[in-house]
Every structure is written in C-alpha cells, then in structure tokens.
Amino acid sequence: MPFEVTALVPITGAETLGVHLGKHHQAYVDGANRLMEPMAKKFETAVEVISFARSIEAHGLLEQAGQALNHGFFWTCHQAAGLTRPDGSLEIAINGKFGDFAGFTDAAIALGKSRVGSGWIWLVADHEGAVRLELTRDAETLLDDPSLVVLLVCDIWEHAYYLDRASDRAGWIDGFFGQLADWSMAKTRYEDGLSREPDAA
Ligand SMILES: [Fe+2]
C-alpha cells in the first residue's frame, strides 16, 4: 500500500483496512494459488487464470481468482490525499452522463442499494469515451472485458464497510467515490483507453 493503515480514516478505519487487505484479500490470493497448485499449467496474469477457469467451469477458482483480481485493482483506486473530483475530459463525460458529480454519486448509491448481496460497483467507459456504471455480483469481474475501459471500482461486500458504519452501504459508496477514489488515476485510464484499440486492451 502506498499509504499508512490510518490514511483512509474516517471513511475506512485502520481495523477495516487491516482485515480487508490482510485477511480477506490475502485469503482470495491464497485460495486461488491453492486451487492452481495441482494444475499442470502456468499462468502469466490473473486474467489468464480467470479465462482458463471459465473455460473449464472451475467455479471455485473463478471466484477466488476474480476476488483476488478485483481487490488488487480496488486498492489502486484509493488515494490518501483527501477529497478529489474528476476533472478535464473525465469530468465532461461524467457530467454528460449523470448531470454533475452529485448525480453520479446518487446513481452509484442507487445501484449499490439495488444489490441485496455482495458485489462491486464499476465506473467504466467504452473506447469512444462514453462512461457508465456497472454492477457485478459476488466475485464477478469486468477487468477481463476488452470492450471496456475500467476506471474505478468500489467493493460493496460488507467486509469493506461493516466495521466502520454497520449496514450503511450508501454512506460507504458516497465516502469512497467522494473522498477516497483516485480520480487522477481514473482520468489517466480514461484518456489512455480512448486512444487504445479494444483488441489491445
Ligand atoms: Fe473486499
């Protein structure tokens, strides 16, 4: 992590960060490795693991590897400097889709509340620059979809927020996108995605 365990307070407390990163995320990595161990196959990336697991319908491996991949990306979506907002080309795209930043966070909260169980909320763009929100269930990932440019992801599993705010998923989603999300990284990914052919994603 590029920041201290207390750097995300008050949105993510030190205990949440420690458990989430050190227990949950680690368990997914360990679980995926354990399931791959007996396989006579070497993988270069987590996306390769997921593609292989899909092809042989290895659901356990698909879940563990999906969670490992999603968490790895999720941590890179954080910044510890405090409040940031989308700017430049990404701000224009978000305002075009959602009206303004409040409209974006309202839509993200509504999407998160629509999911009874666990999952992930994604801000994605297509290669023409149109942004949208997506929801995936449980361990499903969008990081292996070449038609998408993934900009940010918010973990809406209860382990991401329950120690800090009990069942207040809406408060967590608002806090994540409004105070923790690395909008500078998101803009870089957005602009890079615009100039990249889908097949090269
Ligand atoms: Fe998580």
Side-chain angles (χ1 to χ4, degrees):
M1 295 290 282
F3 38 78
E4 297 296 322
V5 73
T6 55
L8 307 180
V9 173
I11 304 302
T12 298
E15 187 180 4
T16 298
L17 181 55
V19 170
H20 197 172
L21 186 63
K23 302 290 186 188
H24 292 283
H25 184 179
Q26 189 63 49
Y28 298 128
V29 173
D30 292 346
N33 285 333
R34 191 173 58 247
L35 291 168
M36 284 188 291
E37 212 169 75
M39 296 177 178
K41 191 166 173 64
K42 291 278 176 277
F43 301 98
E44 296 294 324
T45 66
V47 169
E48 281 183 19
V49 176
I50 287 167
S51 174
F52 176 72
R54 276 210 185 93
S55 72
I56 63 168
E57 298 187 7
H59 299 295
L61 177 57
L62 191 55
E63 287 184 345
Q64 298 292 327
Q67 283 294 84
L69 180 63
N70 285 354
H71 279 90
F73 180 66
F74 170 65
W75 297 120
T76 72
C77 293
H78 288 71
Q79 51 79 40
L83 189 82
T84 71
R85 290 288 179 270
D87 68 345
S89 57
L90 181 55
E91 180 184 21
I92 291 167
I94 285 179
N95 289 351
K97 173 71 175 178
F98 300 101
D100 55 19
F101 189 73
F104 161 75
T105 54
D106 285 349
I109 289 167
L111 195 58
K113 289 170 76 172
S114 74
R115 171 76 180 130
V116 174
S118 300
W120 300 82
I121 295 176
W122 307 79
L123 175 63
V124 302
D126 63 26
H127 291 274
E128 283 70 51
V131 295
R132 67 178 190 269
L133 284 162
E134 293 281 354
L135 171 70
T136 60
R137 301 161 65 96
D138 304 326
E140 290 171 12
T141 190
L142 295 181
L143 289 164
D144 62 338
D145 185 339
S147 73
L148 297 177
V149 184
V150 176
L151 307 179
L152 289 170
V153 73
C154 177
D155 185 344
I156 60 166
W157 285 59
E158 286 186 342
H159 64 228
Y161 58 87
Y162 213 86
L163 285 173
D164 295 316
R165 57 186 72 244
S167 60
D168 181 18
R169 178 178 284 180
W172 157 238
I173 294 168
D174 189 52
F176 174 79
F177 284 113
Q179 297 188 59
L180 294 183
D182 188 344
W183 286 102
S184 174
M185 182 205 74
K187 187 175 81 168
T188 299
R189 292 180 66 87
Y190 179 73
E191 292 179 344
D192 286 352
L194 279 178
S195 57
R196 195 176 59 194
E197 290 299 316
D199 288 342

